[in-house]
Amino acid sequence: MDPAAAVDPAAAVDPAGAADAGDAVRIDALEFTWRAGLAPCLAIPALRIGAGERVFIQGMSGSGKSTLLNLVAGVAVPTRGSLRLFGHELGALGGAARDRLRGDHIGYIFQQFNLIPYLSAIDNVLLPVHFSARRRARARQQGASPRDAAIALLARLDIDAASGARRAAQLSIGQQQRVAAARALIGAPEIVIADEPTSALDSERQQAFLDLLMACCAAAGSALLFVSHDQRLAAGFDRQVRMEELNRAPRGPA
Amino acid sequence: MKPFVFVLAARSAWNRRLTLGVTMAAVALSVLLLVGIERLREGARHGFAETVSGTDLIVGSRTSPVQLLLYAVFHVGAPTNNMGWAAFQAVAADPAVAWAVPVALGDSHRGFPVVGTSPGYFEHFRHGDGRALALAAGRRFDGLFEVVLGAEAAQRLGYAVGRRITLSHGTGEALLPEHADKPFVVTGILARTGTPVDRALHVSLESLEAIHLEWRGGAPVPGLVIPAEFVRKFDLSPKSVTAVLAGLHERTAVFAAQRRINAHAGEPLQAILPGVALDELWQVLGTAERVLVAVSALTAAIAIAGLVAVILAGLGERRRELAVLRATGARPRDIFALLTLEGLFVTVAGSAAGLALLLACALLFGDLLLARYGVALAAQSFAPSELARVGAIIAAGLVASMVPGLRAYRLAVADGLTPGS
């Protein structure tokens, strides 16, 4: 572990308290409790992720990573405190608005089983375009049509047109993760969240995937929120946050 | 809901076509059953109502109309009273009556009823949409001891023209005294009608008189034997008949004629309108038909329950899929629509397949049904009542499909992006 890369979460606090409109994610005094009356499983005094910033969040399972990601993605709502996405206070928005915000601004890559098995790789990449008009419009800027943009992204991630036309279930795990990356990147969302996306890959492919993902995020101008337990992948990120330090909630079973 | 969810649901359903195909087949069969029974019921009702057509009045001694219909047309049961020949002649002479055909019952042959009548029977009896009786083989009876068989009687008994048979006194399957000394010869066999005519053996009234010459009060007179060759020396003119089928010059005169006959001075008579009596009889049979409808509705309910079970069972392994959709911007109500539409697709496809199956059955077996049972299974189109049933199944399928839809909605909300946690 490189201690220099680990940043004290307190340093992420904006001392002036002024909201920076450029922040992709801004968390203040956030607490999350699964059920009223239980102790919070997540308590984050402050976290700021700037536009286009690449942040490595390191944490073991049970450290509250998944909860944090669910909160940022807008499928869970903070029990207390503030979570802003581009200045939008998520807790103040209804479910539909949060779903729209996610569809418009967030690309998401899961650990594995990212793809709808009965759709082709290209149709999987195109999913966000169907649910978000904004992503559709921005995908048209990436290519002549969303489909062209998807094909171009897949090509960039080393998936040729023939593989792109195949059903997701027929692709290798490595290919599936790259298709998932293309899906997260289509329509150039402001934030790409990757939840242990390399854990199903063998070690020599992990770095290759990570390099590709970073390059694509840079090209799209997307911030990258990369969650992993694996410290070795932290190199190359702008910043590293350790979940154990970020989350001030009393430790217990998640 | 986004239009894309339609596409997604269709592709998801197609992906699981084997499982859903089986459920679809179950829905198709239940639609076939439900609509098919409705169609058979309509066909049977229609065919039943046309068991006699072209006959405006049926006359007999006083009893219930259904009773009279049962023995005059269906040859079932025995009349308590016959009507005298003079009464028959009075009916035939009524100014409104164009033709009158007598029907005399009481004898049988191996369980099949023997109908004594006049040659006019073959002229005037109509069934279905006004079709007359036709001979499939041979000729009509034209003298004593000649018999014309209905199609089913001939087929079941294996009789051909020229066969000699003896009639039994009384009806039913029991061991009956036989008119063995006066055998009949089969002169003709009628074409199939799908009516009770198919089961009957038709002889002249004079033949019936002849075989009963030495009978008094339902039993042979001991010691009295009149050989067949001598019967012509006796008076063979009919003494009584069971019922009369009558056609009128003008159908509008039917109620006036009915009143006149009911008020006949000679003996108490009753004239009934066959259509009305047939309807009344159908009401009695309708109970069985309603049970059939209930059973087929249950079948449809089972098919739809199976559909819901299959979709629900698949939901567990699809939670990841739902999370992926949520991550790409799908809302919980899109997830609800996705699952509900899948069930709806299966119901609609199953219903369409069921209707296609019914059309195929109607085309394949329609003629057979019509010939054998007089039931018309029209193949061309669907009646509003049939479409209403299909609509009810689809509506039930939609409502039932909302169960997995709602379950998926709840899962989507609870799981967020981390299913199973």
Side-chain angles (χ1 to χ4, degrees):
Chain A
M1 198 219 288
D2 176 10
V7 177
D8 182 356
V13 181
D14 183 346
D20 181 355
D23 280 353
V25 180
R26 190 192 163 96
I27 287 173
D28 288 297
L30 176 142
E31 277 188 20
F32 181 79
T33 309
W34 278 114
R35 242 172 304 155
L38 290 181
C41 62
L42 192 68
I44 300 178
L47 176 68
R48 222 178 104 181
I49 296 170
E53 198 180 7
R54 290 171 295 183
V55 179
F56 183 90
I57 297 179
Q58 193 269 329
M60 308 311 284
S61 63
S63 59
K65 288 182 299 180
S66 300
T67 309
L68 175 61
L69 295 187
N70 271 328
L71 285 165
V72 174
V75 292
V77 191
T79 313
R80 257 188 290 281
S82 160
L83 196 173
R84 288 165 191 265
L85 223 57
F86 323 106
H88 297 284
E89 181 62 59
L90 283 187
L93 296 176
R98 280 183 278 119
D99 287 334
R100 194 175 311 119
L101 210 59
R102 175 176 66 256
D104 285 349
H105 300 287
I106 297 179
Y108 204 103
I109 308 171
F110 290 98
Q111 193 168 350
Q112 53 183 337
F113 308 119
N114 262 291
L115 306 184
I116 307 294
Y118 49 84
L119 296 180
S120 71
I122 289 176
D123 285 333
N124 264 288
V125 173
L126 285 171
L127 279 174
V129 164
H130 291 295
F131 289 111
S132 161
R134 186 170 188 272
R135 295 278 287 275
R136 186 156 56 244
R138 287 165 71 103
R140 285 212 183 85
Q141 291 165 10
Q142 289 177 316
S145 68
R147 178 162 283 267
D148 289 333
I151 291 169
L153 269 170
L154 284 172
R156 203 136 183 227
L157 287 152
D158 231 7
I159 308 272
D160 58 31
S163 302
R166 286 164 73 189
R167 277 156 48 97
Q170 296 171 313
L171 302 175
S172 73
I173 300 290
Q175 285 174 317
Q176 289 188 22
Q177 289 307 83
R178 280 177 279 147
V179 172
R183 184 181 60 208
L185 286 158
I186 195 161
E190 282 80 351
I191 308 174
V192 169
I193 298 177
D195 181 6
E196 302 257 19
T198 58
S199 64
L201 304 179
D202 42 47
S203 50
E204 61 262 38
R205 287 177 180 268
Q206 286 183 338
Q207 194 56 51
F209 175 83
L210 191 53
D211 291 345
L212 257 180
L213 180 62
M214 291 233 232
C216 287
C217 281
S222 309
L224 176 60
L225 197 58
F226 191 98
V227 179
S228 176
H229 66 280
D230 191 349
Q231 189 64 43
R232 291 172 301 164
L233 299 171
F237 281 85
D238 299 331
R239 194 147 64 90
Q240 183 183 358
V241 178
R242 287 165 50 86
M243 219 41 226
E244 284 78 3
E245 292 164 22
L246 184 67
N247 184 6
R248 302 292 169 81
R251 306 315 314 273
Chain B
M1 188 197 77
K2 302 201 160 44
F4 172 65
V5 176
F6 254 106
V7 180
L8 205 57
R11 298 183 66 169
S12 162
W14 178 248
N15 179 51
R16 298 181 310 127
R17 56 192 174 276
L18 186 65
T19 330
L20 292 181
V22 174
T23 20
M24 193 199 84
V27 172
L29 287 178
S30 71
V31 166
L32 172 69
L33 205 61
L34 201 61
V35 179
I37 281 178
E38 167 71 4
R39 180 165 288 197
L40 277 177
R41 192 179 70 94
E42 271 307 311
R45 188 193 184 98
H46 201 70
F48 187 78
E50 290 182 338
T51 309
V52 276
S53 58
T55 296
D56 297 312
L57 285 173
I58 299 175
V59 184
S61 64
R62 292 240 172 106
T63 176
S64 86
V66 169
Q67 199 86 32
L68 178 56
L69 182 80
L70 273 178
Y71 55 71
V73 173
F74 294 90
H75 315 315
V76 173
T80 40
N81 282 307
N82 273 357
M83 54 188 273
W85 185 246
F88 168 75
Q89 284 172 316
V91 170
D94 186 282
V97 170
W99 55 265
V101 170
V103 171
L105 301 168
D107 284 359
S108 65
H109 175 74
R110 298 180 60 183
F112 292 94
V114 171
V115 177
T117 185
S118 67
Y121 188 80
F122 301 105
E123 299 288 340
H124 299 297
F125 185 87
R126 292 282 186 280
H127 65 95
D129 41 7
R131 268 175 294 175
L133 297 176
L135 281 157
R139 57 171 178 83
R140 296 171 183 176
F141 60 73
D142 181 32
L144 289 180
F145 309 128
E146 292 185 343
V147 58
V148 173
L149 304 182
E152 194 188 335
Q155 193 197 9
R156 294 266 289 273
L157 296 169
Y159 292 169
V161 172
R163 168 92 184 213
R164 294 172 79 83
I165 63 173
T166 58
L167 306 187
S168 312
H169 192 81
T171 54
E173 302 271 6
L175 199 60
L176 297 164
E178 298 224 347
H179 302 287
D181 56 325
K182 298 183 185 66
F184 280 66
V185 63
V186 176
T187 62
I189 293 168
L190 293 170
R192 231 170 230 289
T193 64
T195 71
V197 169
D198 292 350
R199 290 182 51 81
L201 285 72
H202 305 86
V203 301
S204 69
L205 287 177
E206 289 76 13
S207 301
L208 281 185
E209 286 299 326
I211 59 175
H212 292 107
L213 275 178
E214 59 273 69
W215 289 55
R216 292 290 178 274
V221 178
L224 180 57
V225 177
I226 303 169
E229 53 270 34
F230 296 130
V231 296
R232 282 171 219 281
K233 299 186 185 305
F234 293 83
D235 173 23
L236 295 180
S237 62
K239 309 295 180 294
S240 70
V241 297
T242 307
V244 184
L245 309 181
L248 305 183
H249 294 292
E250 294 285 340
R251 291 216 65 184
T252 47
V254 70
F255 293 109
Q258 185 184 26
R259 270 196 304 278
R260 272 198 302 280
I261 293 167
N262 285 347
H264 177 68
E267 62 181 287
L269 293 182
Q270 145 174 276
I272 62 164
L273 280 69
V276 175
L278 279 166
D279 265 355
E280 218 172 295
L281 185 54
W282 186 260
Q283 299 300 321
V284 179
L285 302 175
T287 316
E289 154 210 354
R290 277 192 292 277
V291 169
L292 266 183
V293 172
V295 168
S296 55
L298 266 181
T299 314
I302 292 169
I304 287 172
L307 167 67
V308 171
V310 161
I311 296 181
L312 273 180
L315 204 51
E317 60 200 54
R318 295 178 72 188
R319 284 169 80 170
R320 287 227 52 102
E321 182 187 324
L322 302 185
V324 167
L325 289 174
R326 287 278 279 146
T328 57
R331 300 180 48 186
R333 69 176 192 198
D334 293 325
I335 303 292
F336 168 78
L338 176 69
L339 272 290
T340 305
L341 279 174
E342 225 172 283
L344 184 64
F345 285 163
V346 173
T347 318
V348 169
S351 299
L355 291 182
L357 221 62
L358 178 64
L359 280 190
C361 285
L363 285 173
L364 282 175
F365 307 115
D367 291 343
L368 192 74
L369 268 176
L370 188 61
R372 294 225 146 208
Y373 305 106
V375 173
L377 204 67
Q380 313 84 325
S381 62
F382 296 102
S385 62
E386 296 170 350
L387 292 178
R389 286 181 177 209
V390 177
I393 287 187
I394 291 176
L398 174 63
V399 171
S401 299
M402 288 180 184
V403 173
L406 278 172
R407 171 103 182 108
Y409 181 100
R410 289 222 196 90
L411 279 177
V413 170
D415 285 350
L417 304 180
T418 43
S421 65

